[in-house]
Every structure is written in structure tokens, then in C-alpha cells.
Amino acid sequence: MDDRQFRRIIETFGLSWHGYRKVRKAVKKRIARHMQELNCRSVTHYLSVIESNRRLRAQSQRLLNVSISRFFRDREFWRALERSLFPEICRARKNSVRIWSAGCARGEEPYSIAIAWDVFAKRSELHCQLDLWATDTNPEWLSKAKAGVYARSSLKDMEPEVLETYFEPLPGASEYRVSHFVKKEIIWKMHDLATDDPPTRDVSVLFLRNNLLTYYNETIRKTVLEKTLESLASPGFLIIGSHERIPEEVRSLEPSAFHRLIFRKAHR
């Protein structure tokens, strides 16, 4: 499958070539295998088959999902959360803080959030209950996220004392399981950013890193972002990926003083 053919497939789903350019090799292999399983000898035939079968189309869309993650990517960012953003929202909300990890993949991000919050809570005089939602379109990834078992390579950015406190080594020492008290803080839910309404409202912090703003085309990106931002409380904050940017047409956000990846819901 060449790049032109691959672009035809991703554009069928409203996805962006720019987002897939650096990760397309593995994704193309998955799609090529799917074509073989369906006895499709051309992209035209493949698109015809999946368009006429909702189950196969959903399967194809899941094969296009990209998950490149590990715990606590960008430690400077996570320190900004613990030291600045979490105290800010805790003072504003007083009793309960709702955080939504949208496109949570295999769970590294929501577990990182839960751990960072627990570290903050133990060091702070502020007391707030965390209400943490984690959503994704891929049921297999959500199942793995709920299991909470990870290879040692996913934990390489973690400080040893944090690893010891929040994870249990499995036999063989090559894998670790997230401790139960971390798991119980998270509400897992199937959700498609592109088609579904937000699963919850009054969100203090929305993690939208390395999914919508990277992999979808410009039209879907703007429309879905505006719909998703309706879930934000006031004050509310949006967090994006290190190589992403907010579309210029979106006027409801402004940079925060906490970190370059954290945006505040603007008061209009």
C-alpha cells in the first residue's frame, strides 16, 4: 500500500495526513492485514466493503488508532500540574474536582493523573475529592487500561519511590500492575470524540493530548473541539500535546501562566 492509497483510507474517516505522516508505517501494516482478511485486493474494494458494514467500518477505524504513550511524559509539565494547576482548581472547586482524560488509550495518562493528584493531596492542606473520567473509542484498549498492567519500559520516566508506592511488581519483574487504590479512582467509558456528546459536564481539567488536534482533519478538529469545550467548567482548563496547537478560530481559550500546554477557558 502506497501513501496515496493510505491517504484515501484515512480521509474516509476525516483523519489528517499530517498527523499520521510519522507513524503511518505500523498503521499501514494493520490495514493491509485487514484487507487480506476481507479478501480485498484494492483500496477501492476495501472502502466499499467497510462502508457497507458498520461492524467492519468500526474495526477499520480502531486499526487506525495510534497509541504512543508512557507514564509521566514531560516531567516539567506534570510538576506544573502538581504545584500550580491542582491547587488552583482545588481552591476554586473546594469539594470536588472533575478531570476528563479524553482518548485515554491504554490508560497511562489517567493513571498518571490519579497518581499526580494523590501526590499533590498528600502534600497539600487543601482537600478535594477527585472525580476522574477516562474515555476512548477502542474497547480493547479500555480493557487493557482497566487491567492496569504495564511493561517496565512504560514506567521509565517514573521516580523509584513513586513506582514503589503506586505499582506492584508481577512475577518476573518485567511487568507492573497499578495498585488497587489508584484504579478505584477512575471511571472508564467508551466514547468517540468525533461523534458523541461529552460524557460528563462541569469538567475542571480536560486532557486532550495527542488525539483530536493531531489526527483529525481541520474541519472535524474545529467542530469537535468547540463541542468538547462545552464540558468545561468555569474556571476550566484544557491540556494539549507538546506538538499541537489550538485552531485560531477557537476564541474560548487563552494561554495560562502554569505551562505552555495548559489553556484557560476565557471569560467572555
Side-chain angles (χ1 to χ4, degrees):
M1 182 190 304
D2 60 27
D3 286 346
R4 179 183 59 82
Q5 294 169 323
F6 180 62
R7 290 183 74 153
R8 282 188 64 194
I9 295 173
I10 63 175
E11 287 168 2
T12 298
F13 292 93
L15 299 170
S16 163
W17 165 252
H18 178 75
Y20 279 88
R21 188 168 50 85
K22 293 183 178 180
V23 297
R24 67 189 187 278
K25 186 175 180 180
V27 181
K28 285 166 72 172
K29 286 182 178 179
R30 293 199 295 266
I31 294 295
R33 284 196 297 268
H34 196 219
M35 290 177 63
Q36 290 177 345
E37 291 169 2
L38 299 177
N39 294 316
C40 295
R41 298 191 176 185
S42 70
V43 167
T44 299
H45 185 202
Y46 179 65
L47 292 176
S48 174
V49 169
I50 65 174
E51 284 301 316
S52 63
N53 186 306
R54 183 179 298 179
R55 180 183 62 82
L56 292 177
R57 179 180 170 86
Q59 193 175 65
S60 179
Q61 188 169 11
R62 287 197 295 271
L63 294 173
L64 293 169
N65 292 161
V66 177
S67 175
I68 305 173
S69 189
R70 62 181 183 271
F71 285 82
F72 296 107
R73 291 174 65 186
D74 187 353
R75 282 302 309 176
E76 178 189 348
F77 161 75
W78 289 98
R79 281 193 288 269
L81 289 190
E82 294 173 18
R83 297 174 182 176
S84 302
L85 182 60
F86 286 171
E88 170 84 3
I89 59 175
C90 206
R91 282 190 290 266
R93 304 300 296 180
K94 300 190 185 305
N95 296 320
S96 177
V97 169
R98 181 165 299 164
I99 298 179
W100 175 18
S101 170
C104 67
R106 295 181 174 89
E108 290 94 334
E109 180 176 270
Y111 285 129
S112 293
I113 297 168
I115 292 169
W117 182 270
D118 192 65
V119 170
F120 152 71
K122 287 175 178 177
R123 296 174 179 174
S124 175
E125 295 179 356
L126 300 168
H127 300 287
C128 292
Q129 177 67 35
L130 175 62
D131 182 17
L132 178 54
W133 290 63
T135 66
D136 202 272
T137 61
N138 193 320
E140 294 179 9
W141 286 2
L142 278 178
S143 179
K144 290 182 178 179
K146 291 177 184 178
V149 175
Y150 297 93
R152 185 68 178 87
S153 58
S154 295
L155 309 169
K156 63 181 182 180
D157 292 333
M158 191 174 296
E159 296 168 354
E161 60 270 24
V162 174
L163 179 62
E164 183 177 342
T165 302
Y166 296 97
F167 290 82
E168 305 162 1
L170 296 180
S174 62
E175 290 184 321
Y176 289 77
R177 180 187 290 118
V178 179
S179 296
H180 175 71
F181 75 91
V182 179
K183 288 184 180 183
K184 70 179 184 179
E185 299 293 334
I186 304 174
I187 301 167
W188 305 96
K189 188 176 179 65
M190 282 278 294
H191 178 265
D192 189 334
L193 278 168
T195 59
D196 299 338
D197 290 332
T200 186
R201 300 282 176 172
D202 201 30
V203 174
S204 294
V205 186
L206 168 57
F207 281 72
L208 198 64
R209 305 173 82 197
N210 307 310
N211 46 59
L212 174 68
L213 297 178
T214 294
Y215 296 109
Y216 285 86
N217 67 34
E218 186 175 351
T219 301
I220 292 179
R221 213 161 45 223
K222 179 178 178 295
T223 303
V224 174
L225 179 60
E226 289 181 339
K227 178 181 70 174
T228 305
L229 290 177
E230 293 175 1
S231 68
L232 277 181
S234 183
F237 297 86
L238 174 74
I239 295 172
I240 65 174
S242 58
H243 299 293
E244 296 177 326
R245 65 178 182 84
I246 303 296
E248 294 180 1
E249 301 88 351
V250 177
R251 306 293 185 184
S252 58
L253 295 168
E254 58 191 19
S256 78
F258 302 133
H259 191 277
R260 67 180 182 85
L261 302 179
I262 303 175
F263 291 79
R264 182 189 296 267
K265 185 176 183 179
H267 296 285
R268 300 298 182 192

